[in-house]
Amino acid sequence: MSFVAAGLAVIVCGCSGGGGGSAARTPSDRAPASADQAPGGTGTDGRDPGLASTPALPSIGRLVRTFTDESGARLDGPLAFSPDGGHLAGPGQSADAFVWDNASGAATKLTDPIFPGRPVSSLSYTRDGRELVTTGYQDRAWDPATGALIANGFPSLTAAQNVGGNPDRGLGFGRDGTTFYVYTGVSAPTVAVGTYTLSGTALAPGASHHLASALDTAAYPPVVSPDGLSVIGAAATAPAHAPWLIDLASGTATPVALRPTDASPGADTTAVGYSPDGKLLAVARLQSDGEAVTLYDTTTWTRTVSFRGNAFAFSPDGKTLAVGSNDTGPGVQLYTVADGKGIGTLSTTSELAHSPGALAFGPDGGELAAAEGTAGIELWNVRP
C-alpha cells in the first residue's frame, strides 16, 4: 500500500465538538472587490518587518463552494485534499470529520463509534486516496468514500499514552511515502514520535523515537522535516513558544537560532511549517505591532522575507505562499515565495471576523481551501 505526504495546511485555531448536520452551498455570482476595497496594510513585496500600511493587492480567484455545518458551529481545524483533488477532508461538528465532494458538495460523515464528536488533530490521505487517517483523542483509519472505519486505534507507543486526556498529534506521512508520524505523551520520558504503516485493518508500529523534551502541542502542531530526520515544535519550557529542533535519532532538543532576532518583545509563535523541499521554514507570530509570517532559510536560519498574516500554506510546488491575516481584514493573500511579491487577495466572506483557522492547497495548486470559522470552509479556484 502506498502513502502520500500530509496536506500542506497550517492550523492556527483549534476545532471543537458539537451537534447538528452539514451542508454545502454554492455561492451566487459575487462581484470581486476592487483594488481599493481589498484588505490593506500589506506591501506588494511583502517585505516590511514593521508591518507598515502599503497599497492593497488586487482581488483574484473565484469562490467555488462553501462547506458549512448546519449547527452554525465553528469549522476551524485541519484540512486535507484527496490525492486526485476531487475531495476535501475537514473538521465537523455533527461528526468527527467530513469528506466533501468538491464538485457536488455532498458530504460523507466520519463518526467515531466510541467517542463521537471529539475534535481531530490531523487528517492525512494515503497516496492512493483509499484511506484517510485521523488522529486526536482516538486514532482511526477510514474509508473516505463510505465513512466506514477501517482501523481502530494505534498500538501504544508509551505506557503513559494520552495521560490526562492529552490527544495524539498526527504529523502526517513522510517523504518516503510509507511512514506515518505521531507525537504522543505529556512529559519526558514518555514523550515519543512513533511511526506506523497501515496494512488492511491494522496500524503496525514501526520505530519509536523517545524525546528528551516535551512539546507544547496546544501552542501549535509540531512538524516533521521533509527528510524525516527531525521535528520542529514548541518546547514546553521555551519562552513565547519559540520553535525547537528535535533530532529523532538522539531525541535531543535545541532552540532554532532564527536570525535576525528582531521579533518584537513578547512575540508569540503560533505556527511553523516547512516548504515542500525543506529549504524554507515559515514561522507565524503574534507581535505587539501585528501579525507576521516570516520565511527562514533552513541552512542558515536567516530571514528571507516577511508578510503580514498568521495562517499560511505553501503550494505543492513551493512557489506560492497563501497567507491569512487579521491585520489586513477578511481575506487571504497570495505571494511568490522567491521574491515576496504579491499576487493578489481572495476576498473571503464578510462573515469572517478573524484570519482563517487553516489553509490548504489542492494537489495541483489550482485550488485553495480556507477554514473560515462560523462562515464554514471555502473552496477557491486560484488558477491564473
Side-chain angles (χ1 to χ4, degrees):
M1 185 168 293
S2 56
F3 299 83
V4 68
L8 300 176
V10 174
I11 305 163
V12 177
C13 302
C15 51
S16 58
S22 70
R25 66 177 186 267
T26 302
S28 59
D29 294 335
R30 186 172 64 185
S34 63
D36 59 353
Q37 293 173 321
T42 303
T44 55
D45 63 359
R47 292 177 179 273
D48 189 356
L51 309 180
S53 178
T54 51
L57 299 177
S59 180
I60 62 170
R62 178 176 63 87
L63 180 60
V64 176
R65 190 175 298 279
T66 301
F67 303 110
T68 63
D69 191 292
E70 292 176 353
S71 70
R74 303 187 64 84
L75 292 182
D76 283 339
L79 301 171
F81 279 88
S82 62
D84 64 5
H87 294 81
L88 178 69
Q93 299 300 320
S94 59
D96 301 271
F98 286 95
V99 176
W100 288 283
D101 185 302
N102 293 337
S104 69
T108 299
K109 289 185 177 183
L110 309 181
T111 303
D112 192 303
I114 301 176
F115 298 104
R118 293 289 185 93
V120 297
S121 63
S122 76
L123 296 157
S124 303
Y125 273 96
T126 54
R127 179 173 293 166
D128 58 14
R130 297 174 62 183
E131 288 88 19
L132 180 70
V133 178
T134 64
T135 65
Y137 286 90
Q138 296 294 319
D139 308 317
R140 309 283 190 234
W142 309 83
D143 180 343
T146 65
L149 189 63
I150 296 174
N152 188 1
F154 296 159
S156 294
L157 294 174
T158 69
Q161 189 171 19
N162 286 338
V163 169
N166 184 58
D168 290 342
R169 174 69 72 171
L171 308 183
F173 290 106
R175 176 181 285 177
D176 63 7
T178 61
T179 304
F180 185 78
Y181 293 83
V182 177
Y183 173 86
T184 190
V186 291
S187 62
T190 64
V191 179
V193 170
T195 59
Y196 297 90
T197 56
L198 180 62
S199 176
T201 59
L203 287 158
S208 182
H209 307 274
H210 292 269
L211 311 182
S213 176
L215 298 176
D216 185 353
T217 59
Y220 52 87
V223 295
V224 178
S225 61
D227 61 14
L229 300 179
S230 60
V231 170
I232 283 186
T237 57
H241 305 126
W244 282 50
L245 182 68
I246 298 177
D247 179 81
L248 289 181
S250 65
T252 58
T254 56
V256 180
L258 301 176
R259 296 192 296 269
T261 56
D262 59 356
S264 62
D268 189 28
T269 302
T270 57
V272 296
Y274 280 101
S275 61
D277 61 7
K279 294 181 179 180
L280 295 171
L281 180 75
V283 178
R285 299 186 183 94
L286 292 177
Q287 305 183 158
S288 60
D289 54 353
E291 302 168 336
V293 174
T294 304
L295 303 186
Y296 295 90
D297 184 304
T298 55
T299 301
T300 62
W301 296 119
T302 56
R303 183 179 64 199
T304 64
V305 63
S306 293
F307 308 92
R308 294 190 67 167
N310 197 16
F312 62 87
F314 286 97
S315 62
D317 62 7
K319 295 180 179 180
T320 303
L321 187 74
V323 180
S325 175
N326 281 321
D327 290 347
T328 57
V332 177
Q333 292 75 47
L334 301 185
Y335 300 94
T336 55
V337 171
D339 56 14
K341 291 187 180 298
I343 298 171
T345 293
L346 308 180
S347 299
T348 57
T349 177
S350 60
E351 298 173 53
L352 176 64
H354 59 86
S355 62
L359 296 169
F361 276 96
D364 67 357
E367 288 82 27
L368 180 72
E372 304 284 4
T374 55
I377 297 172
E378 293 185 349
L379 178 66
W380 285 81
N381 183 326
V382 294
R383 291 179 175 83

